[in-house]
Amino acid sequence: VAESPSPPSRSDEDAWCAELVRRVGAGDARALEQLYDRYARPAYSLARRVTGDPAFAEEVVQEVFLAVWRQPERFQPSRGGFASWLLAAVHHKSVDAVRREEAVRRRALALQAVGGLDASDPPTDRTEDVVEERLRGERVRQALRKLPDSQREALTLAYYGGYTQREIASLTRTPLGTVKTRMHRAMHQLRTALDDLADLADLTVTDRAEGGTR
Amino acid sequence: VSAPTLPAGHDEYEALAVAWAIAALEPADRDRFGEHRAGCGRCADAVADALDVAVELAYCVPDSEPPAELKGRLLAAAALDRPAKPGGALPPADRVAALSARAGDRTVATVVLRGGTADVVTDVLAPNAGRGTSYVLWGVPAGGAGAPTALGSFEVTGGLHSYPVRLVRAPGGYPVLAISEEDAGSLPATPNPVIARGALSR
């Protein structure tokens, strides 16, 4: 395992982030820079996917990191990890940006997003973070494929397309209540599928470890 | 003040929490849920739970490298926004100038005018201690008519900070500011090669 200045392991990541956010609160620009180095890439990738526009994506990422700088207390470590929180902020801002754009463009993007889920992108960087994020992405794609089509559609139109529940209802000619239920079930099933896949990954790692000592 | 009560059908809020986490709510629902969530631990937890799933969706988009300039822009904006050292909020800047080697290049330093003071925010200019030099801030007259005027000098110690300029003349009357490196303690009549220049905001 290569040594790196980033968090020593996933399990320590939350503590690492909480400490950096605390330092940001004390006015330490270095801490902001370290958070940026670690999370700018997934943040920018997400913003770019949702907005479909590099300039919008840059704006969103800068706004979100500036918000961390200005109001670090808005992140509460007791309420979950920093990555979840930061990427949720990036996602919400991206969706807001998209909603300001005209509907036609969004429709095209959403369809692209749904269609593009199976596409695996050629590796552009070999750093550990990127490889790990790629594996993580593959796991989510697997989990998404296990969802019923109607649930996957509701979820991806919302998350990647930036559509509201009402818009999805009219887009897919489905009653609003059904869309809400599908979305809720999709998130629930996704969690279950991800937990199963994580368990499987743990087993595989254990197998390998045992195999290595024989 | 009455004791907080769960509204009839709190389940509805938990459904809203999931939809909130993937930004799928209508603006009205979003506002309604936002108000409720602020005072509801159960919903805050429901949101955190849903965000843990949503973040996985964030990780399965195609990977794109952010442009290198974005980091510099963010750090400059952060430095402008608040001093890099703790010590309380400063009043907002009156006028600013982003200085670069050539128009369109990345920003080398940002000059911030506030009250009667000037500060240079940079993490690009090399520390000058030990080189026997000082940096000098210049005012460049409109339309390139006339020679630049030395406004004051400053020292850079390294790292992203706001460095105060020891002003000898007010910088406000010049449309363009520039920076050069000169012998320590001197404010010459004409600058060494200008490192960076940029227009002053109104």
Side-chain angles (χ1 to χ4, degrees):
Chain A
V1 177
E3 288 190 7
S4 86
S6 11
S9 77
R10 179 57 73 69
S11 59
D12 292 336
E13 183 162 351
D14 286 351
W16 183 80
C17 288
E19 169 59 15
L20 285 177
V21 174
R22 192 195 61 73
R23 280 168 49 199
V24 164
D28 182 350
R30 267 278 173 244
L32 180 69
E33 194 176 348
Q34 278 177 278
L35 287 170
Y36 180 89
D37 288 344
R38 171 80 179 164
Y39 294 110
R41 192 177 184 118
Y44 179 74
S45 301
L46 176 62
R48 198 160 165 176
R49 173 52 126 186
V50 175
T51 63
D53 182 309
F56 274 155
E58 282 185 50
E59 212 173 286
V60 164
V61 170
Q62 175 161 345
E63 247 181 79
V64 168
F65 277 97
L66 260 187
V68 172
W69 177 246
R70 288 175 180 151
Q71 294 177 297
E73 68 282 357
R74 290 185 68 177
F75 166 63
Q76 294 178 294
S78 59
R79 296 269 186 224
F82 182 76
S84 301
W85 179 80
L86 182 89
L87 292 172
V90 167
H91 183 240
H92 272 93
K93 280 220 186 303
S94 302
V95 165
D96 287 346
V98 161
R99 285 186 189 156
R100 288 194 294 264
E101 291 297 291
E102 80 268 55
V104 179
R105 215 179 121 241
R106 288 164 46 193
R107 199 154 303 168
L109 282 169
L111 295 175
Q112 212 181 61
V114 175
L117 280 174
D118 288 327
S120 56
D121 300 274
T124 53
D125 197 319
R126 294 240 163 248
T127 68
E128 293 233 320
D129 287 352
V130 174
V131 172
E132 191 193 326
E133 275 154 24
R134 206 178 297 286
L135 286 173
R136 196 167 170 183
E138 188 42 50
R139 228 174 55 204
V140 188
R141 281 188 209 100
Q142 265 186 48
L144 276 171
R145 280 196 286 266
K146 290 185 180 170
L147 295 178
D149 289 349
S150 61
Q151 288 183 18
R152 185 172 53 247
E153 181 185 58
L155 189 59
T156 51
L157 281 172
Y159 193 84
Y160 299 112
Y163 289 96
T164 67
Q165 293 173 324
R166 197 175 297 281
E167 288 170 328
I168 294 169
S170 85
L171 208 63
T172 58
R173 301 203 171 92
T174 310
L176 178 59
T178 310
V179 169
K180 289 183 179 176
T181 310
R182 279 178 186 167
M183 219 173 257
H184 201 260
R185 290 212 176 123
M187 286 290 276
H188 181 77
Q189 294 219 35
L190 196 57
R191 167 183 295 281
T192 313
L194 284 168
D195 286 350
D196 290 351
L197 286 168
D199 288 349
L200 210 66
D202 283 350
L203 279 177
T204 317
V205 170
T206 315
D207 285 351
R208 270 193 212 134
E210 283 170 358
T213 56
R214 257 169 228 155
Chain B
V1 181
S2 61
T5 50
L6 288 183
H10 189 262
D11 283 354
E12 195 216 333
Y13 281 112
E14 291 185 21
L16 290 179
V18 172
W20 186 90
I22 54 172
L25 291 179
E26 310 303 318
D29 284 342
R30 186 162 150 173
D31 294 347
R32 188 159 63 97
F33 178 70
E35 279 171 28
H36 168 78
R37 174 195 170 204
C40 176
R42 226 170 111 182
C43 278
D45 287 340
V47 165
D49 268 2
L51 286 183
D52 279 344
V53 180
V55 72
E56 298 296 334
L57 294 170
Y59 275 112
C60 79
V61 300
D63 184 41
S64 339
E65 174 86 39
E69 319 84 73
L70 182 56
K71 180 168 162 178
R73 275 214 306 278
L74 167 72
L75 294 177
L80 258 180
D81 189 70
R82 204 173 65 178
K85 283 179 195 157
L90 286 174
D94 297 330
R95 299 170 74 187
V96 296
L99 277 53
S100 55
R102 247 171 292 164
D105 279 7
R106 71 167 180 159
T107 300
V108 169
T110 305
V111 181
V112 183
L113 306 185
R114 200 185 269 120
T117 69
D119 294 280
V120 177
V121 179
T122 182
D123 66 344
V124 176
L125 289 177
N128 58 301
R131 297 209 291 216
T133 63
S134 293
Y135 287 102
V136 173
L137 181 68
W138 298 83
V140 183
T149 306
L151 304 173
S153 59
F154 62 98
E155 319 299 329
V156 171
T157 51
L160 179 66
H161 282 298
S162 180
Y163 301 102
V165 182
R166 298 178 295 271
L167 287 174
V168 295
R169 283 183 196 87
Y174 296 91
V176 171
L177 300 179
I179 289 173
S180 70
E181 193 172 0
E182 309 290 344
D183 290 338
S186 78
L187 286 179
T190 55
N192 276 332
V194 163
I195 299 168
R197 56 186 287 146
L200 192 56
S201 70
R202 310 231 155 250

